[in-house]
Amino acid sequence: MNVSGLVWAGTLVALTAVLVVDLLIIGRRPHEPSVRESSLWVGFYVGLALVFGVGLWLAAGPGVAGEFYTGWLTEYSLSVDNLFVFVIIMARFGVPRPYQQKVLLIGIVLALVMRGGFIAAGAALISQFSWVFYLFGAFLIYTAINFFRQGEPNEDDFSENLLIRWSRRALPISRDYDGAKMTTHEGGRRLFTPMLVVMIAIGTTDLIFALDSIPAIFGITQEPYLVFTANVFALMGLRQLYFLLGGLLDRLIYLSIGLSVVLGFIGVKLVLEALADNHLPFVNGGEPVGWAPHIPIWLSLVVILGTLLVATVASLIKSARDRRRELAAARG
């Protein structure tokens, strides 16, 4: 796929314009969005991604579109898991609901910037060193095992990292929030509000999440343009999805298991493709491994979509059964 500088520039301008409009809406009227408002925005961003994929299909063929859709679906599912940690951070720092939108949007912008850097670095590594797929694959398999063991995160799992602890000690921070502002005046002094610490927590958490998501999508496609756009579309509707899902997150009890299967599958896929294109002298004498297959993109899409669907349906069934048991116990 040969993407010209003009196409890159046009894509960046269009996506930036959407984010700026989103930021202006929040800046003018901070509020907790209703289910209807959140549904419309999520539908808008999902529709935008689907239309973008159709455009890729028409311009570059079904193979490229399939890579985009598979990468977008993978990143979107990983982003949903990120929402669990966002909920914990908001609760831990007591962020008022009307101002959580701004926190999420700024966190998403930070994530886009950081992931852009990771994508550029990953693309440079891949172009120079084909063996990096062995590392990406091994890392994803390791991450999948951790996902499976740990399950969904809870408040006890969240610990403040070094940067958060440093900011609490070194910066003059007020005790209370002042709307969504980062600074406030208190006793004649200008202080940072707890909102700054929340932003640091969200930003550093996004950085950690990028370590999982970027290798995962490079397991789907090595085209930087598709990697970047899939990440952008997955993150753009995350803020509204946070409010839309709300309490439903607690019911997705098998999501981590589903994501562990997805990451494990992509990790194995990367290792197999690295073996099929092997050039390492200490592996098969530097020759490609004949039995290692290239997994087609349609099969990747079916496995990922099917796994997420099964995990979601199983979670909702299990949650409904548990709720009925609780109600029956309460009545008895």
Side-chain angles (χ1 to χ4, degrees), residues 179-190:
K181 296 178 182 177
M182 298 283 190
T183 62
T184 186
H185 283 92
E186 192 174 284
R189 299 174 58 206
R190 179 173 287 276

Side-chain angles (χ1 to χ4, degrees), residues 68-129:
F68 168 77
Y69 282 133
T70 307
W72 168 68
L73 181 63
T74 301
E75 294 299 297
Y76 203 70
S77 59
L78 289 171
S79 296
V80 172
D81 195 60
N82 299 353
L83 293 181
F84 284 95
V85 181
F86 290 165
V87 169
I88 294 170
I89 291 173
M90 298 294 187
R92 175 68 66 87
F93 292 99
V95 182
R97 294 284 290 182
Y99 305 117
Q100 290 183 8
Q101 283 205 83
K102 184 174 181 179
V103 174
L104 290 168
L105 184 57
I106 293 178
I108 288 168
V109 172
L110 290 174
L112 288 172
V113 173
M114 289 186 289
R115 291 190 187 200
F118 274 109
I119 290 168
L125 281 172
I126 290 169
S127 65
Q128 295 295 323
F129 309 105

Side-chain angles (χ1 to χ4, degrees), residues 253-314:
I253 55 179
Y254 296 131
L255 180 61
S256 281
I257 296 176
L259 290 177
S260 70
V261 173
V262 170
L263 291 176
F265 169 77
I266 297 174
V268 171
K269 177 178 182 291
L270 276 172
V271 172
L272 289 174
E273 292 187 357
L275 289 171
D277 298 325
N278 177 66
H279 297 292
L280 291 179
F282 53 84
V283 177
N284 198 38
E287 296 296 323
V289 177
W291 57 264
H294 280 286
I295 298 177
I297 196 65
W298 67 264
L299 180 57
S300 298
L301 183 58
V302 169
V303 170
I304 293 170
L305 186 59
T307 301
L308 294 174
L309 183 61
V310 169
T312 301
V313 172

Side-chain angles (χ1 to χ4, degrees), residues 136-273:
F136 281 0
F139 178 73
L140 289 177
I141 293 171
Y142 169 78
T143 304
I145 294 171
N146 282 342
F147 261 57
F148 187 83
R149 287 178 175 174
Q150 295 172 3
E152 297 301 345
N154 55 54
E155 193 165 352
D156 294 333
D157 295 329
F158 178 77
S159 59
E160 297 183 358
N161 58 48
L162 182 63
L163 187 57
I164 297 174
R165 294 197 299 270
W166 173 85
S167 64
R168 283 186 180 276
R169 292 195 307 266
L171 300 177
I173 298 176
S174 65
R175 295 182 59 184
D176 301 317
Y177 290 94
D178 185 5
K181 296 178 182 177
M182 298 283 190
T183 62
T184 186
H185 283 92
E186 192 174 284
R189 299 174 58 206
R190 179 173 287 276
L191 303 175
F192 293 104
T193 69
M195 189 66 74
L196 176 65
V197 183
V198 176
M199 294 297 184
I200 293 173
I202 292 289
T204 52
T205 301
D206 282 331
L207 180 62
I208 295 170
F209 286 146
L211 296 176
D212 297 336
S213 64
I214 298 305
I217 194 170
F218 271 116
I220 302 297
T221 177
Q222 288 82 58
E223 173 54 53
Y225 182 77
L226 297 181
V227 173
F228 178 74
T229 51
N231 266 275
V232 172
F233 281 110
L235 288 170
M236 284 173 72
L238 192 59
R239 173 176 62 83
Q240 292 85 2
L241 192 63
Y242 171 89
F243 291 98
L244 178 61
L245 293 179
L248 183 62
L249 287 174
D250 294 333
R251 298 169 61 189
L252 299 178
I253 55 179
Y254 296 131
L255 180 61
S256 281
I257 296 176
L259 290 177
S260 70
V261 173
V262 170
L263 291 176
F265 169 77
I266 297 174
V268 171
K269 177 178 182 291
L270 276 172
V271 172
L272 289 174
E273 292 187 357

